[in-house]
Amino acid sequence: MHEYGIAKDVISHVLVEADRYKASEVKQIKLDVGPLAMVNKDQLMFCLKAVSKDTIAEGMSVELGSLPVEIICPEKHVFQIDKPIDDVFRFLTSLRCPICGDKASIKSGREIILKEITAI
Amino acid sequence: MHDISLNRDVMVIHKALAAKNRKLFDDNKVFAVNIMGAVGSGKTALIELLCDKMKEVKIGVIAGDVISEVDAKRLRKKKKPVVGINTGKECHLDAHLVDHALEKLPLAGLDFLFIENVGNLICPVDFELGSHLNVVVVSVSEGDDTIEKHPAIFLTADAALINKIDIAKAVDANVDKMVADAKKINPGLQVIPVSIKKDVGVDDFIRWLKDARGKN
């Protein structure tokens, strides 16, 4: 369950930033998770709750968003995928550049971005 | 009220540490191999056999385990420098843990560093360690559908060893199917059927390893 490790990283960033602003309570965070990050969102939410317990982030609300997926081919054609990816593995194993037909790789879509923290 | 705008990729710190580890390996001319696979697939047995067979090169080992020193103790019997890492609640090694292990390992003078990951076919995929190669050990006794059920790890790996082929019949596993599944997921994957216990096919893996090191 790598969601636990990710949650630990997120909370550690949140607490460092909250401390920098001398905040006493974290009210909300906005977190964008790439569709290819292979994160189970329910597990991530559970882990965020567990890891933030007994910290100033306990009880905060978490707004989960998504991120665009971009692929790139050896010819450096970049292509954004607009439709939702239902089957990530099929998507990853059949990646082709729509322009030249070459085998493409992932340019973005695996990131986990801590976008915003609201604290008092 | 503070609205703190960050836009920070929380995985970046892992990637930065992985790059730092890679630089350390390269500066010391050490070829690092991340060995992944399920619990009981044969990761420790593989490293033991590599220590026995690759006498002409200097080998170091990082042995990752959840809580015990069992694997590290087994590997220390091979008289090689071994550092054990306990991940506690974590199901994978990450670049940070490897970074700390490297503080205890005399890298200078080593040719190969084998990093035994925690027994898991899922989570290690997302955590780069800085290794030059990623190898997966999968055994026939896990079921011959294991590869098609865990595509992500085979997609990002450089080689897959299909282990325990000597008992394939007994566990009703089709090795050819496993090879085909792995190739279908990742056509560039080096797939080598082996029996680590019976020392079958491991020489092919060693040849491939040395070749990969030569190309680096």
Side-chain angles (χ1 to χ4, degrees):
Chain A
M1 187 156 91
H2 64 204
E3 285 78 2
Y4 175 76
I6 292 166
K8 263 197 343 189
D9 286 341
V10 170
I11 297 298
S12 132
H13 283 280
V14 168
L15 294 180
V16 166
E17 289 304 320
D19 186 54
R20 204 197 299 271
Y21 284 80
K22 309 274 177 242
S24 57
E25 191 185 344
V26 178
K27 301 297 279 181
Q28 190 192 43
I29 61 168
K30 289 183 182 170
L31 194 63
D32 287 348
V33 179
L36 307 177
M38 315 240 182
V39 167
N40 180 306
K41 291 186 179 175
D42 290 339
Q43 284 184 348
L44 180 61
M45 292 297 266
F46 176 81
C47 291
L48 285 169
K49 205 170 158 187
V51 176
S52 61
K53 196 172 181 312
D54 297 328
T55 74
I56 60 163
E58 182 174 355
M60 68 177 178
S61 66
V62 179
E63 196 180 300
L64 277 186
S66 192
L67 287 165
V69 172
E70 282 183 320
I71 62 172
I72 185 165
C73 78
E75 297 294 315
K76 305 279 178 225
H77 295 135
V78 176
F79 195 77
Q80 188 162 329
I81 310 293
D82 293 322
K83 53 182 182 191
I85 301 164
D86 298 327
D87 187 336
V88 171
F89 297 120
R90 183 168 294 171
F91 173 79
L92 290 175
T93 50
S94 58
L95 270 186
R96 294 271 160 201
C97 173
I99 298 158
C100 62
D102 261 4
K103 195 170 162 38
S105 55
I106 304 297
K107 184 168 184 283
S108 67
R110 285 199 171 114
E111 303 80 359
I112 296 162
I113 309 273
L114 179 57
K115 207 170 155 190
E116 209 176 289
I117 304 167
T118 307
I120 51 172
Chain B
M1 181 77 80
H2 308 284
D3 284 320
I4 309 165
S5 180
L6 277 178
N7 279 319
R8 184 183 297 162
D9 187 346
V10 296
M11 300 302 275
V12 153
I13 187 161
H14 293 290
K15 286 173 195 151
L17 279 170
K20 183 186 161 202
N21 291 344
R22 171 67 76 91
K23 187 174 181 314
L24 198 61
F25 299 143
D26 286 340
D27 288 349
N28 286 281
K29 298 186 170 55
V30 182
F31 196 64
V33 185
N34 174 22
I35 299 179
M36 302 174 287
V39 174
S41 58
K43 299 181 294 300
T44 315
L46 173 67
I47 298 172
E48 284 176 323
L49 190 57
L50 294 176
C51 289
D52 288 341
K53 291 175 81 84
M54 297 170 76
K55 295 280 188 208
E56 69 292 355
V57 293
K58 290 203 175 70
I59 292 172
V61 181
I62 293 175
D65 238 323
V66 180
I67 53 164
S68 74
E69 273 274 303
V70 174
D71 288 349
K73 276 185 192 156
R74 262 174 74 177
L75 290 160
R76 276 192 196 107
K77 288 183 187 156
K78 299 294 171 189
K79 309 280 177 219
K80 310 282 182 197
V82 176
V83 176
I85 303 181
N86 282 151
T87 58
K89 290 173 187 162
E90 297 278 10
C91 45
H92 55 267
L93 290 183
D94 62 29
H96 180 232
L97 289 167
V98 171
D99 179 40
H100 281 309
L102 292 175
E103 290 165 6
K104 299 178 203 155
L105 196 72
L107 275 185
L110 291 184
D111 298 306
F112 282 91
L113 173 67
F114 296 121
I115 305 169
E116 181 181 347
N117 217 308
V118 177
N120 189 329
L121 276 175
I122 303 155
C123 306
V125 180
D126 294 316
F127 294 86
E128 292 170 35
L129 306 181
S131 57
H132 297 91
L133 290 179
N134 294 308
V135 174
V136 190
V137 184
V138 55
S139 60
V140 296
S141 49
E142 292 160 49
D144 60 12
D145 53 0
T146 297
I147 293 176
E148 63 173 317
K149 279 160 59 183
H150 299 86
I153 199 161
F154 297 96
L155 194 64
T156 50
D158 300 288
L161 301 191
I162 299 173
N163 189 24
K164 308 186 191 177
I165 54 169
D166 52 315
I167 61 161
K169 259 197 185 144
V171 296
D172 204 13
N174 181 342
V175 176
D176 292 340
K177 172 191 159 35
M178 295 177 81
V179 173
D181 286 348
K183 282 288 191 189
K184 192 177 161 197
I185 293 164
N186 181 354
L189 187 71
Q190 186 72 28
V191 186
I192 309 173
V194 298
S195 166
I196 292 165
K197 200 154 200 166
K198 299 273 164 73
D199 190 5
V200 174
V202 179
D203 286 334
D204 293 335
F205 176 60
I206 292 173
R207 249 191 308 278
W208 177 82
L209 257 188
K210 287 182 175 171
D211 198 36
R213 181 172 187 245
K215 285 179 192 158
N216 182 50

